[in-house]
Amino acid sequence: MTRRLAQVAKKVGVSEATVSRVLNGKPGVSDATRQAVLTALDVLGYERPTQLRGERARLVGLVLPELQNPIFPAFAEVIGGALAQQGLTPVLCTQTKGGVSEADYVDLLLQQQVSGVVFAGGLFAQADAPHDHYRRLADRRIPVVLINASIDRLDFPCIACDDTVAVEQAWRHLASLGHERIGFVLGPPDHVPSRRKRAAAQAAAAAAGRELPEEFLECSMFSLEGGQAAASRLIERGVTGIICASDPLALGAVRAARRRGLTVPGDVSVVGYDDSAFMNCTEPPLTTVRQPIEAMGRAAVELLCAQIQGGVVPPDELLFEPELVVRGSTAQPPR
């Protein structure tokens, strides 16, 4: 008990006597200090006293599908900072292959009595994935915000970049350079944002009076290796421009071209999606469609806090406008 008091007091910056008053439900402690002590208990892994367990912790789960793609650490940085400004402590939950699943993380977060959960990418965007753990959150009335397009059956507020506008920007850019054989590397077939990008690609081609053959549309896992394999197939079919659903996929496309003795952008132009860290430092620097990470992350926290404070937030999707960033990986097609 003494060790616990000392650790909590040190983390919060108050006396052990103050911590003791909070744990014993005694008066004379401000609400801010009381909340800080309870949050410290949660963070340090101590159980709350029985009489305080009914109160939800000032913790917010931040669930990410991975950290290898730089876009997810970027979201974590923005969201974590915005949560801290609201007096909330983010709990980072990152999935790994063969490790803790998204559903397992939800169970752990429920045990910690979190105030809410933000999912920045995840199974909610995959139509064929299990979704029961989201229903558990809804049944417990835990505030939730999703970042990225979700399946229709989940009634949570959602923040997303406009996939249709992103594809239109990339398509117009390559078409303006003279490309007529434009291919796409998308995510898995059941991935909702990739489905939207596919529909937008077909619409953009139709609006330009062109046909987009099915063999110019490739699905892949979101990885550099997946992008390389998919882009290699597109290059075999004669495309001169490749639009990818993520920056790692685009880097895989660049590698695929080089493995075939081709140059980027001399022989093949490549466009990414996200504008994640260091894409201006690749060789060549990557032309990509930028997601407004700062605005999206802060909007997600605002929606979450509104729910935590008891407000009614409609389960709508807020679409944010992307921005094409032209760099060195795109040029006119070879003559």
Side-chain angles (χ1 to χ4, degrees):
M1 180 66 174
T2 302
R3 180 170 175 269
R4 179 176 67 167
L5 288 176
Q7 285 186 320
V8 174
K10 181 178 180 182
K11 190 166 188 66
V12 180
V14 298
S15 68
E16 292 183 27
T18 298
V19 175
S20 179
R21 297 185 75 83
V22 172
L23 298 185
N24 291 298
K26 301 267 181 83
V29 181
S30 69
D31 287 341
T33 299
R34 184 169 175 276
Q35 287 295 339
V37 169
L38 293 177
T39 298
L41 273 178
D42 298 323
V43 171
L44 291 170
Y46 291 122
E47 287 191 11
R48 294 185 178 203
T50 304
Q51 70 272 19
L52 300 177
R53 288 178 189 171
E55 297 190 17
R56 189 167 290 166
R58 298 285 290 175
L59 303 175
V60 170
L62 175 53
V63 184
L64 306 176
E66 59 166 313
L67 290 178
Q68 289 184 332
N69 186 337
I71 198 67
F72 294 117
F75 267 122
E77 182 177 6
V78 172
I79 294 169
L83 287 171
Q85 290 176 351
Q86 298 295 327
L88 296 164
T89 302
V91 179
L92 184 62
C93 304
T94 306
Q95 299 173 67
T96 56
K97 292 181 180 179
V100 181
S101 69
E102 192 174 274
D104 290 334
Y105 274 127
V106 167
D107 289 338
L108 291 170
L109 292 171
L110 287 173
Q111 290 173 18
Q112 291 295 318
Q113 298 181 333
V114 293
S115 294
V117 184
V118 177
F119 292 89
L123 299 181
F124 63 83
Q126 296 175 235
D128 298 337
H131 300 114
D132 290 345
H133 52 291
Y134 298 113
R135 185 52 49 201
R136 291 203 297 277
L137 289 168
D139 291 344
R140 296 276 289 271
R141 299 186 182 278
I142 303 296
V144 171
V145 176
L146 309 177
I147 298 180
N148 216 346
S150 68
I151 64 172
D152 294 334
R153 298 185 297 276
L154 297 177
D155 294 328
F156 296 128
C158 181
I159 300 289
C161 193
D162 195 320
D163 293 302
T164 298
V165 173
V167 169
E168 289 173 349
Q169 290 178 348
W171 175 277
R172 285 199 301 267
H173 172 60
L174 290 182
S176 70
L177 292 172
H179 291 272
E180 296 182 355
R181 300 174 66 82
I182 300 173
F184 289 80
V185 178
L186 306 172
D190 70 330
H191 186 243
V192 175
S194 292
R195 288 181 175 180
R196 291 183 176 184
K197 289 182 173 70
R198 172 185 285 265
Q202 293 167 332
R210 300 180 186 178
E211 181 183 356
L212 182 60
E214 277 296 316
E215 59 264 29
F216 283 9
L217 294 163
E218 280 287 336
C219 293
S220 167
M221 297 301 294
F222 280 104
S223 66
L224 189 148
E225 293 78 14
Q228 179 182 344
S232 183
R233 293 191 290 270
L234 291 175
I235 293 171
E236 284 181 359
R237 296 164 192 159
V239 303
T240 61
I242 301 175
I243 298 172
C244 300
S246 76
D247 289 340
L249 288 176
L251 295 180
V254 172
R255 180 193 281 180
R258 287 178 173 163
R259 292 285 171 87
R260 290 176 166 272
L262 304 175
T263 63
V264 176
D267 298 302
V268 179
S269 288
V270 176
V271 181
Y273 179 75
D274 285 336
D275 193 29
S276 45
F278 308 119
M279 291 305 105
N280 60 335
C281 301
T282 59
E283 180 54 43
L286 187 68
T287 294
T288 187
V289 180
R290 175 183 294 160
Q291 289 198 69
I293 302 300
E294 183 78 21
M296 292 171 65
R298 290 194 170 275
V301 172
E302 288 177 11
L303 288 178
L304 190 77
C305 289
Q307 295 178 75
I308 292 172
Q309 293 163 8
V312 177
V313 177
D316 296 332
E317 181 180 53
L318 302 184
L319 291 178
F320 284 71
E321 193 85 355
E323 176 189 359
L324 178 70
V325 181
V326 179
R327 297 194 181 104
S329 65
T330 51
Q332 293 180 348
R335 299 300 181 187

